Amino acid sequence: MKVILTGATGFIGGEVLNQALAHPKINSLICLTRKPLPDAVTSNPKVKVINLAEFSSYAPEVLSELEGAESCIW
Ligand SMILES: NC(=O)c1ccc[n+]([C@@H]2O[C@H](COP(=O)([O-])OP(=O)(O)OC[C@H]3O[C@@H](n4cnc5c(N)ncnc54)[C@H](OP(=O)(O)O)[C@@H]3O)[C@@H](O)[C@H]2O)c1
């Protein structure tokens, strides 16, 4: 399952991130973030980090990365 996650740099989102990385049914995790995530996260083959300056508009190349996601945890 492909999942989109926001807030991964925060308190709640950080734990959601850990749970999603450990979940065997999640094989693709797209993290939308304003700040960098730790190397241990970005080097995980399940993870694709997309840095956005703001979350109200999405360039076509970002939308194509989000395509096929079955879930979004916002
Ligand atoms: N903590 C609790 O006990 C608790 C309980 C009930 C409900 N909640 C709710 O759960 C949510 C998360 O809480 P939290 O404690 O994890 O907060 P937090 O530690 O402050 O984390 C907030 C997260 O949201 C991101 N964010 C904030 N404003 C943003 C914006 N304008 N655009 C994009 N990303 C933005 C932050 O990104 P940056 O790192 O880039 O700033 C960070 O990743 C909040 O809505 C809070 O009200 C929390």
Side-chain angles (χ1 to χ4, degrees):
M1 178 195 282
K2 180 172 177 176
V3 173
I4 300 165
L5 174 63
T6 66
T9 55
F11 179 67
I12 301 283
E15 181 55 22
V16 173
L17 172 65
N18 291 335
Q19 296 288 331
L21 292 178
H23 201 294
K25 289 194 174 168
I26 298 175
N27 55 21
S28 172
L29 184 67
I30 311 296
C31 293
L32 302 180
T33 182
R34 302 187 292 186
K35 293 178 189 160
L37 288 165
D39 289 346
V41 173
T42 56
S43 63
N44 188 309
K46 283 166 85 160
V47 175
K48 165 90 184 175
V49 177
I50 299 177
N51 285 102
L52 295 175
E54 48 87 25
F55 282 50
S56 60
S57 68
Y58 299 85
E61 58 271 22
V62 172
L63 289 177
S64 70
E65 292 282 2
L66 305 182
E67 216 167 86
E70 294 174 77
S71 175
C72 177
I73 303 170
W74 184 273

